[in-house]
Amino acid sequence: MNINTAMQYLTYGMALLGVLAFMVSVVVQVIKEMPFLAKVPTSAVALITSMILCPVALVVLCTYFKITITWYYVFASFLAAFIVYLVSTGGWEKIKEIWDRTKYKDSESE
């Protein structure tokens, strides 16, 4: 595989991640107003929605491209669901805050 093909797949993957994160955000905003979900935390609803939407997207894409679904595709879709959840709920800021707190601080420069 040459670099052009790898970059093309990476671009498709990032675009798919963005579309899935957008879809999770939209679905959560719509279903969060339902009476039986009003007391459930929004982040939990987003995680469950992401865990449902990502495998469904996998099945749709594999059906469209006539690809046989294997176990590691399903496993990868569940791993991708966590990334989609983080993107859709603004989790990157949380990760950055944790990273910033763990950085070494020089006591002389303060």
Side-chain angles (χ1 to χ4, degrees), residues 21-41:
F22 175 74
M23 292 301 296
V24 166
S25 297
V26 168
V27 169
V28 166
Q29 289 300 318
V30 170
I31 67 173
K32 186 61 182 146
E33 301 302 320
M34 293 182 175
F36 58 91
L37 289 176
K39 295 182 181 177
V40 179

Side-chain angles (χ1 to χ4, degrees), residues 25-70:
S25 297
V26 168
V27 169
V28 166
Q29 289 300 318
V30 170
I31 67 173
K32 186 61 182 146
E33 301 302 320
M34 293 182 175
F36 58 91
L37 289 176
K39 295 182 181 177
V40 179
T42 305
S43 61
V45 175
L47 180 61
I48 293 168
T49 304
S50 177
M51 295 294 263
I52 293 169
L53 202 61
C54 285
V56 168
L58 169 77
V59 171
V60 167
L61 285 173
C62 285
T63 303
Y64 180 77
F65 290 113
K66 297 177 178 65
I67 299 172
T68 304
I69 300 172
T70 56

Side-chain angles (χ1 to χ4, degrees), residues 40-103:
V40 179
T42 305
S43 61
V45 175
L47 180 61
I48 293 168
T49 304
S50 177
M51 295 294 263
I52 293 169
L53 202 61
C54 285
V56 168
L58 169 77
V59 171
V60 167
L61 285 173
C62 285
T63 303
Y64 180 77
F65 290 113
K66 297 177 178 65
I67 299 172
T68 304
I69 300 172
T70 56
W71 68 269
Y72 49 88
Y73 288 171
V74 176
F75 181 73
S77 75
F78 281 111
L79 290 179
F82 287 106
I83 297 171
V84 168
Y85 161 75
L86 280 174
V87 171
S88 66
T89 58
W92 292 121
E93 287 80 19
K94 295 175 191 171
I95 292 173
K96 185 181 180 311
E97 287 175 14
I98 292 170
W99 177 258
D100 289 342
R101 282 188 282 163
T102 61
K103 284 186 179 178

